[in-house]
Amino acid sequence: MTGSRQIITASGGFAYGVIDGDLYTVGPPRNRYLLAPWRPPAFHPLAPSLPPVDYGDLTTWRNRPANLALRWLYGGREARSAMRNAFAASCHVDRWQVVEVSRIGPGDPTPAVEPIPDDAVPAGILLLVHEAGSWPLRELTWLLSNAMFHQPHRPARVLFEADTLDAWPALRASLAHLQARDSAQRAPSR
């Protein structure tokens, strides 16, 4: 939206404005979240060469019929990151829209918003939620109320990442009304 202009006024409260992006608020003074297109990690020429990552089960999970499916990926951070990035790259190649979510704390400034491209019809949407075990349950359930994940002819997959399985049972129970297919997977040690 080149040349867009937005004027926002707040009297005795909070106001947020965004052009060309999605900013969702849960109300003051709670945290907010920002959705942005996934970007592959930058290659570093001195980084050690790692063996290929096996993320095959994630592809099977993605391809099973369901409008909404949730996966809790837990275990070592390095293995999770490698699986996430390899899987996200594969989804991107397969025409899935890959989106990352970032938390914005109540005192944090709102970052510049990057638009989520929606020009071509994607095969589906994959949301990556980093360190999901540290998110408050209320915020994760609010995140999944976004209409982006409930479109009838566009499958949505949400990949939660965490160190442990501890927060998964509570989240799973609180999302039962969504009738989403859900599962957990331990990342292999590297």
Side-chain angles (χ1 to χ4, degrees):
M1 290 176 97
T2 309
S4 296
R5 184 173 169 200
Q6 189 174 44
I7 299 172
I8 299 178
T9 307
S11 301
F14 293 84
Y16 302 99
V18 175
I19 295 176
D20 283 339
D22 294 330
L23 172 70
Y24 296 89
T25 63
V26 184
R30 298 180 192 142
N31 288 334
R32 301 164 286 161
Y33 65 88
L34 180 69
L35 300 174
W38 172 79
R39 299 277 182 247
F43 173 75
H44 189 283
L46 300 177
S49 144
L50 296 173
V53 177
D54 178 16
Y55 58 87
D57 191 45
L58 288 173
T59 302
T60 303
W61 163 73
R62 182 195 73 189
N63 293 338
R64 284 195 185 123
N67 193 42
L68 177 62
L70 315 171
R71 171 67 59 101
W72 189 270
L73 181 64
Y74 66 102
R77 188 167 291 166
E78 183 181 320
R80 282 192 341 252
S81 294
M83 285 181 74
R84 172 198 63 228
N85 289 328
F87 178 60
S90 168
C91 289
H92 184 75
V93 167
D94 291 342
R95 294 188 33 231
W96 279 65
Q97 186 177 27
V98 183
V99 177
E100 292 181 293
V101 63
S102 301
R103 289 175 69 203
I104 306 168
D108 296 340
T110 302
V113 175
E114 208 177 328
I116 298 174
D118 200 17
D119 0 88
V121 177
I125 183 165
L126 170 67
L127 175 69
L128 305 172
V129 183
H130 308 292
E131 302 305 326
S134 66
W135 283 58
L137 179 62
R138 172 177 66 193
E139 289 180 26
L140 286 173
T141 56
W142 175 256
L143 171 66
L144 290 178
S145 70
N146 188 313
M148 178 184 282
F149 310 117
H150 304 282
Q151 297 178 16
H153 300 292
R154 184 166 121 171
R157 303 295 180 259
V158 181
L159 183 63
F160 299 100
E161 292 179 64
D163 292 333
T164 69
L165 198 55
D166 295 347
W168 177 235
L171 177 62
R172 197 172 166 216
S174 70
L175 298 174
H177 69 282
L178 294 178
Q179 298 179 336
R181 208 184 48 201
D182 58 65
S183 57
Q185 177 179 346
R186 182 169 188 68
S189 2
R190 287 184 59 109

